[in-house]
């Protein structure tokens, strides 16, 4: 699913990215942050910060961590790169 998301994102097809991420989450929602990262990238591509922040909030809640620093290092790096102004103290529910 992630490879499909990569290809779709390269083509600007964010709908397919979302479909691939949702499919991956249904298959094994606890295994990886990758589907969430794909959704973050899709929202960033569209300039949709509201959605991007919602995905980050959802990932933090799903992983039951308090701060993005507690996520996988690759996920944390992606968040810092694409959403540098996102702050868990202001967005986490």
């Amino acid at each position: 699913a992630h490879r499909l998301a990569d290809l779709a994102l390269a083509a600007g097809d964010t709908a397919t990215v979302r479909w691939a991420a949702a499919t991956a989450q249904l298959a094994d929602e606890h295994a990886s942050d990758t589907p969430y990262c794909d959704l973050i990238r899709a929202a960033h591509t569209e300039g949709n910060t509201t959605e991007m922040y919602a995905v980050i909030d959802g990932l933090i809640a799903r992983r039951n961590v308090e701060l993005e620093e507690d996520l996988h290092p690759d996920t944390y790096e992606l968040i810092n790169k694409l959403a540098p102004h996102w702050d868990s103290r202001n967005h986490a529910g």
Side-chain angles (χ1 to χ4, degrees):
H2 176 63
R3 178 73 179 131
L4 176 60
D6 276 345
L7 293 170
L9 195 59
D13 182 359
T14 55
T16 298
V17 174
R18 286 184 178 80
W19 178 85
T23 300
Q25 287 172 327
L26 289 173
D28 192 1
E29 66 183 73
H30 299 291
S32 172
D33 292 352
T34 303
Y36 291 93
C37 290
D38 290 340
L39 291 171
I40 291 166
R41 293 179 346 171
H44 180 265
T45 296
E46 295 176 337
N48 188 340
T49 55
T50 301
E51 179 184 353
M52 187 168 51
Y53 292 168
V55 172
I56 295 168
D57 289 340
L59 175 58
I60 285 178
R62 172 70 65 188
R63 296 296 180 245
N64 197 27
V65 298
E66 292 186 25
L67 302 170
E68 66 273 19
E69 292 92 345
D70 297 329
L71 295 169
H72 187 279
D74 292 339
T75 304
Y76 176 63
E77 181 180 336
L78 180 73
I79 291 169
N80 280 327
K81 178 181 176 186
L82 300 184
H85 302 291
W86 184 86
D87 183 345
S88 61
R89 294 168 294 193
N90 295 325
H91 293 280

